[in-house]
Amino acid sequence: PMNDSTDRAAAQRAHESLTEFTRQNFEAAFRSGQIALRTLVLVNGGAAVAVLFFLGTIATKVTVPQMSVVAHSLIWFAAGITCGLIALTSAYLTNLYDANVGASVSQTWEYPYSMPGRYTHYFVQVSRFAHIVALVAGAASVALFILGVLDVRSAVILLGK
């Protein structure tokens, strides 16, 4: 049979282990997610800048309707930037509410050594929702970039005819 000091030591180890595990995973997820989402925003922004540069280069060689065909692709890249920013904001909210989940859990001295708090369930729901929004917006940003590239390709082929 375990005594109070053994139970207390086991609880302390469990608390410390959970805290360290949570901290390391949040840091890794936060860093990699931020890098991926920032890259999406930068890639879409870079593509928009490239289209604008291309338009400046061909401005004296083509008609206004031909330019507008190329310029149309800017809509895809601007939407990709917007979705990337929505994803970044949602990722922030996911991290914020995940931290609130951890802060709302009460640590106890009896097994399983932690207990959900009054608002833990709410924080989990908001975190999940924000996470889904971040994933969908991030995927949309990638899709919009691809659509923009395909639109530019079609416009360049049309200009060549």
Side-chain angles (χ1 to χ4, degrees):
M2 296 180 138
N3 60 31
D4 278 348
S5 65
T6 305
D7 288 348
R8 195 173 193 84
Q12 188 69 33
R13 284 191 305 277
H15 293 166
E16 290 169 1
S17 177
L18 176 63
T19 300
E20 181 60 19
F21 173 79
T22 302
R23 185 191 64 75
Q24 287 177 355
N25 282 287
F26 274 135
E27 286 178 10
F30 178 77
R31 278 192 310 272
S32 59
Q34 289 294 316
I35 290 168
L37 295 175
R38 286 178 185 165
T39 301
L40 285 173
V41 172
L42 288 172
V43 165
N44 275 292
V49 169
V51 169
L52 289 171
F53 182 76
F54 179 67
L55 286 171
T57 303
I58 66 168
T60 59
K61 301 170 188 147
V62 296
T63 65
V64 172
Q66 288 174 316
M67 281 186 62
S68 69
V69 170
V70 177
H72 181 267
S73 64
L74 289 171
I75 294 168
W76 297 115
F77 298 126
I81 292 167
T82 302
C83 284
L85 293 173
I86 290 169
L88 278 167
T89 302
S90 296
Y92 163 75
L93 291 173
T94 299
N95 291 326
L96 176 66
Y97 281 91
D98 278 347
N100 285 333
V101 167
S104 71
V105 172
S106 299
Q107 295 180 342
T108 65
W109 297 111
E110 291 86 32
Y111 183 82
Y113 310 120
S114 63
M115 199 168 138
R118 182 176 186 178
Y119 298 107
T120 302
H121 181 71
Y122 166 76
F123 293 144
V124 167
Q125 287 182 325
V126 173
S127 174
R128 285 182 183 159
F129 177 76
H131 191 182
I132 290 167
V133 170
L135 290 171
V136 170
S141 183
V142 171
L144 289 163
F145 173 76
I146 292 168
L147 289 171
V149 168
L150 294 174
D151 201 24
V152 168
R153 180 182 178 274
S154 297
V156 169
I157 290 170
L158 188 65
L159 288 176
K161 290 184 178 181

